[in-house]
Amino acid sequence: MARFVGIRLGRRGLREVYRATSRAVFAGVSGRVLEQLVEVTAVRLRQELKAGTSSQCASDFRSARARLADRSDEGENALVRAGAEALVSQAARELLELVPTRLITAEKELWAGWDQARAEAEFRATLAIPLAGLAGTLGVVYHPLWWGGVVVALLLLRIGSESGERGTEVLLEAVRARKAVLFEDGALPDVPWNTFIGSEVRASVR
């Protein structure tokens, strides 16, 4: 239910993340976490572009940057931001599925913190949905006071989401501290870049 609401009502970047992985709801991926993920992805993208690689991604970026009328840092920042937003779905999939696997062998304490937060989020979310159904049924059949159970279920969902966010932030901090990589070297997905009049930039994952 929460995943459906996230897909239908969330902003574009959040909807793409929820489509990319069914675990997003349990990971507590919110707008705030998404912004952090975009920042981390932008750092990774800058590193890739400064490495002097001959990948299509780097070549397209340099070509687009050369075509910008305004060649200031703002133009380059706009390009990197667009690329990070375009990569956010792939980054979320890597973060939620592969980074924990990389942590369990290198940083077991960080992995344990993430695993505990994830387990708490999944347990509370799993408990909340049948609780809300039971409370609603009892409220219709017996007494309206039973509807209070729906409020409790919503609180459980909220607390579970906060637990998931804590776990996801553990993964983000591990990537920032270089204890785990978000994208393997040379495996950064290509992003086709297109520039328009002024500094408007759009990008989409191939």
Side-chain angles (χ1 to χ4, degrees):
M1 185 184 303
R3 184 168 181 263
F4 175 81
V5 171
I7 292 174
R8 293 295 180 180
L9 301 181
R11 58 196 181 91
R12 181 174 176 270
L14 192 58
R15 291 198 302 269
E16 290 176 352
V17 170
Y18 272 69
R19 288 193 181 97
T21 171
S22 60
R23 295 178 59 192
V25 61
F26 296 118
V29 177
S30 63
R32 179 173 60 85
V33 172
L34 189 66
E35 285 298 321
Q36 294 177 336
L37 182 58
V38 170
E39 291 174 8
V40 169
T41 307
V43 171
R44 180 65 181 83
L45 184 57
R46 286 183 187 278
Q47 293 172 349
E48 180 80 5
L49 296 172
K50 289 179 180 178
T53 60
S54 59
S55 67
Q56 188 63 43
C57 176
S59 299
D60 289 348
F61 175 83
R62 295 187 185 99
S63 176
R65 182 174 55 183
R67 291 199 304 270
L68 281 173
D70 180 8
R71 302 192 183 188
S72 65
D73 290 340
E74 291 184 3
E76 182 171 336
N77 289 337
L79 279 171
V80 172
R81 174 73 183 188
E85 291 177 349
L87 288 172
V88 72
S89 297
Q90 179 68 23
R93 186 182 293 108
E94 297 272 328
L95 186 75
L96 301 180
E97 296 178 3
L98 297 181
V99 170
T101 305
R102 294 163 183 158
L103 283 180
I104 195 172
T105 56
E107 299 288 337
K108 290 187 177 180
E109 290 185 5
L110 286 175
W111 179 87
W114 165 81
D115 187 58
Q116 180 180 354
R118 177 195 57 81
E120 291 176 359
E122 290 186 357
F123 174 75
R124 287 166 178 157
T126 303
L127 186 64
I129 294 175
L131 177 62
L134 177 62
T137 301
L138 292 174
V140 171
V141 175
Y142 292 106
H143 196 280
L145 285 177
W146 282 105
W147 285 101
V150 176
V151 177
V152 174
L154 292 175
L155 287 175
L156 275 175
L157 279 175
R158 177 58 185 167
I159 295 171
S161 176
E162 290 174 353
S163 296
E165 285 187 20
R166 287 198 304 272
T168 304
E169 287 173 351
V170 167
L171 300 181
L172 285 168
E173 287 304 319
V175 172
R176 284 195 185 101
R178 298 180 181 274
K179 297 182 182 296
V181 294
L182 185 61
F183 296 107
E184 293 285 2
D185 291 339
L188 184 69
D190 287 342
V191 177
W193 306 86
N194 295 295
T195 58
F196 298 87
I197 297 175
S199 59
E200 181 184 3
V201 181
R202 298 177 182 175
S204 59
V205 177
R206 280 182 177 173

